């Protein structure tokens, strides 16, 4: 095939997104739920719509075929961060089981959307296993790194491994620290964003030494996000193609480091759709296929 699901860096061919209009629904809906979902502050619906229009236009401009997750009353605002509810493989989607209580209905909603669009489902993570898509990152076509976090537990990783072993995929478990605790949005991709086959954006202070050394042995050059840009999601970078990087405004040092390594960086304003909910551009997208 000319394309694969086992990549974080190839030019995006197809992806799903959940428009903020369908996820946030209305000002009154936001008012009712934002605090319970642990948003930093209440998003402004009107501004969020404008931010998302820009975000979506960037994806379209760079050739992605976009599928939309529909509005669904069984899910809530966090469904805008659609990466987390599923994992794409070359043999179909793996439907996750969310570690965050307020998001437990999202995987089934995504499963229905995939099936409606003719996308096969390989398997489903079931209780007591939990697994979220933000905790997984492809290092190459045959190697998937998985964060062991408050959102992704040992049983979830075991089930994932059983689904992927027949595909010839090695699953590497990356134990992550407590950091801000179980209520925080802290995934593997909070500290790792591959942007080329040998280049990744990382936040080393929260990265296990064993995993960091593994990346170096595999030939990765690591772009180190400065401490002051970690909370503003300097480490959450979506590769639209190799070295073509999409990131939230407000991280000039990380942007400069990327550009110094030959990357083209595209920025979007994401105060309402990203920063307040703790979900950057990788979280806002569920790529299905990327070109090899």
């Amino acid at each position: 095939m000319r394309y694969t699901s086992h990549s974080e860096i190839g030019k995006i061919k197809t992806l799903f997104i959940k428009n903020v209009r369908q996820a946030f629904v209305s000002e009154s809906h936001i008012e009712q739920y934002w605090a319970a979902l642990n948003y930093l502050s209440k998003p402004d619906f009107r501004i969020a719509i404008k931010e998302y229009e820009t975000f979506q236009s960037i994806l379209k401009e760079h050739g992605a075929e976009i599928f939309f997750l529909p509005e669904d009353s069984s899910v809530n605002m966090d469904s805008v961060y659609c990466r987390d509810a599923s994992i794409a493989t070359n043999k179909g989607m793996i439907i996750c089981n969310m570690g965050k209580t307020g998001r437990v209905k999202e995987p089934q909603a995504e499963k229905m959307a995939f099936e409606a669009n003719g996308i096969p489902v390989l398997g489903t993570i079931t209780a007591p296993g939990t697994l979220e898509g933000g905790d997984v990152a492809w290092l190459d076509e045959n190697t998937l790194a998985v964060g062991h976090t408050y959102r992704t537990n040992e049983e979830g990783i075991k089930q994932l491994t059983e689904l992927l072993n027949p595909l010839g995929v090695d699953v590497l478990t990356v134990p992550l620290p407590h950091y801000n605790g179980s209520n925080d949005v802290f995934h593997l991709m909070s500290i790792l964003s591959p942007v080329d086959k040998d280049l990744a954006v990382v936040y080393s202070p929260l990265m296990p030494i064993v995993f960091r050394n593994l990346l170096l042995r595999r030939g990765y050059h690591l772009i180190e996000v400065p401490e002051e840009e970690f909370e503003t999601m300097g480490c959450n970078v979506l590769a639209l193609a190799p070295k073509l990087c999409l990131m939230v405004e407000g991280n000039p040092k990380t942007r400069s480091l990327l550009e110094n390594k030959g990357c083209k960086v595209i920025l979007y304003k994401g105060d309402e759709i990203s920063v307040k909910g703790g979900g950057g551009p990788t979280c806002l997208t569920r790529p299905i296929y990327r070109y090899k």
Side-chain angles (χ1 to χ4, degrees):
M1 292 194 303
R2 293 174 50 237
Y3 46 84
T4 179
S5 296
H6 299 188
S7 171
E8 306 293 347
I9 62 162
K11 178 178 171 59
I12 295 175
K13 178 181 185 292
T14 59
L15 83 168
F16 275 78
I17 58 175
K18 177 75 173 277
N19 192 291
V20 76
R21 289 180 183 270
Q22 280 67 54
F24 286 8
V25 183
S26 66
E27 281 284 2
S28 61
H29 187 91
I30 294 169
E31 181 66 44
Q32 183 177 355
Y33 291 108
W34 73 267
L37 292 170
N38 299 313
Y39 280 60
L40 295 178
S41 59
K42 178 179 173 290
D44 183 301
F45 191 42
R46 179 184 59 82
I47 299 174
I49 289 170
K50 291 182 178 179
E51 288 182 354
Y52 201 90
E53 286 174 350
T54 300
F55 179 80
Q56 182 176 317
S57 69
I58 292 169
L59 298 175
K60 185 176 180 181
E61 178 185 343
H62 288 88
E65 181 183 3
I66 299 173
F67 293 86
F68 294 95
L69 296 164
E71 186 172 326
D72 187 328
S73 61
S74 72
V75 300
N76 212 319
M77 292 167 59
D78 278 346
S79 62
V80 75
Y81 305 124
C82 56
R83 180 187 175 96
D84 290 332
S86 59
I87 298 165
T89 82
N90 290 340
K91 294 296 183 180
M93 306 302 295
I94 294 175
I95 306 303
C96 294
N97 188 30
M98 309 297 278
K100 183 176 180 179
T101 305
R103 304 188 68 182
V104 294
K105 300 291 183 65
E106 290 179 35
Q108 181 60 29
E110 287 199 6
K111 180 175 183 286
M112 292 171 61
F114 297 145
E115 291 174 340
N117 286 278
I119 297 172
V121 172
L122 175 64
T124 301
I125 306 301
T126 59
T130 61
L131 180 73
E132 296 195 0
D135 273 324
V136 306
W138 293 98
L139 302 184
D140 60 42
E141 279 201 66
N142 299 304
T143 310
L144 185 70
V146 183
H148 186 180
T149 68
Y150 282 115
R151 305 292 183 87
T152 295
N153 65 16
E154 188 173 359
E155 173 62 22
I157 295 171
K158 176 176 176 289
Q159 292 180 32
L160 176 67
T161 302
E162 291 170 350
L163 287 167
L164 290 178
N165 274 348
L167 279 60
V169 172
D170 292 326
V171 175
L172 303 178
T173 300
V174 184
L176 294 184
H178 171 77
Y179 190 45
N180 289 329
S182 59
N183 289 327
D184 189 45
V185 183
F186 182 55
H187 289 129
L188 175 64
M189 294 202 76
S190 301
I191 59 170
L192 169 72
S193 291
V195 295
D196 201 359
K197 64 182 184 299
D198 57 359
L199 187 66
V201 182
V202 301
Y203 185 65
S204 288
L206 292 175
M207 183 170 282
I209 293 169
V210 171
F211 182 61
R212 189 177 185 279
N213 285 341
L214 179 145
L215 292 174
L216 293 172
R217 287 198 305 272
R218 292 176 71 95
Y220 275 90
H221 176 85
L222 304 181
I223 294 176
E224 303 280 357
V225 174
E227 181 179 358
E228 62 270 26
E229 293 188 359
F230 176 65
E231 293 294 345
T232 52
M233 285 181 287
C235 202
N236 193 304
V237 180
L238 176 67
L240 299 172
K243 290 190 174 180
L244 179 59
C245 303
L246 180 60
M247 63 186 301
V248 185
E249 280 186 7
N251 300 286
K253 292 182 180 178
T254 305
R255 176 187 181 181
S256 180
L257 291 169
L258 281 163
E259 291 175 338
N260 288 342
K261 285 296 177 181
C263 296
K264 179 181 178 181
V265 178
I266 301 167
L267 303 177
Y268 72 97
K269 189 170 181 60
D271 292 341
E272 311 302 317
I273 63 173
S274 288
V275 177
K276 290 181 178 180
T282 63
C283 310
L284 288 165
T285 54
R286 174 63 278 168
I288 306 298
Y289 288 117
R290 291 174 179 266
Y291 290 99
K292 292 186 177 181

